[in-house]
Amino acid sequence: MSGRVEIEYCTQCRWLPRAAWLAQELLTTFESELTELALKPGTGGVFVVRVGDEVVWDRREQGFPEPTAVKRAVRDRVAPGKPLGHSDKPSAD
């Protein structure tokens, strides 16, 4: 699977800080697995995370992502079996 991640965000909505923060989280977690992380400006309320050509998160369908959910989706594609530490433990609700 591709080690390239793309975060497409809405410039009209001023979601660059959110996209940049998520990019930092992913780069920190997968520093040896990712080959590239791109921030792609978009419009119309877009906030989509892709691994290679596969959409792993779309705000229109799933709402804004919790970082842990995106990390799991990315991990499942670039580093299956990699533990995510405390954020990977099931919640005790």
Side-chain angles (χ1 to χ4, degrees):
M1 190 61 176
S2 171
R4 180 182 194 278
V5 172
E6 176 184 278
I7 302 172
E8 185 176 3
Y9 65 94
C10 179
T11 56
Q12 298 164 311
C13 305
R14 302 189 184 277
W15 288 341
L16 173 58
R18 187 184 296 252
W21 179 77
L22 184 58
Q24 179 180 321
E25 288 288 308
L26 292 173
L27 287 168
T28 301
T29 302
F30 302 105
E31 60 186 9
S32 60
E33 290 86 5
L34 296 184
T35 56
E36 180 181 5
L37 195 146
L39 295 176
K40 181 179 178 182
T43 57
V46 68
F47 198 92
V48 174
V49 180
R50 294 179 184 86
V51 177
D53 294 327
E54 181 185 359
V55 173
V56 298
W57 197 276
D58 187 337
R59 183 198 66 81
R60 287 192 178 110
E61 296 172 9
Q62 299 157 282
F64 272 113
E66 288 295 320
T68 302
V70 175
K71 285 181 186 181
R72 280 191 198 116
V74 171
R75 184 262 323 264
D76 292 348
R77 285 147 184 93
V78 302
K82 177 184 174 94
L84 295 177
H86 70 279
S87 65
D88 204 27
K89 291 187 172 78
S91 60
D93 314 14

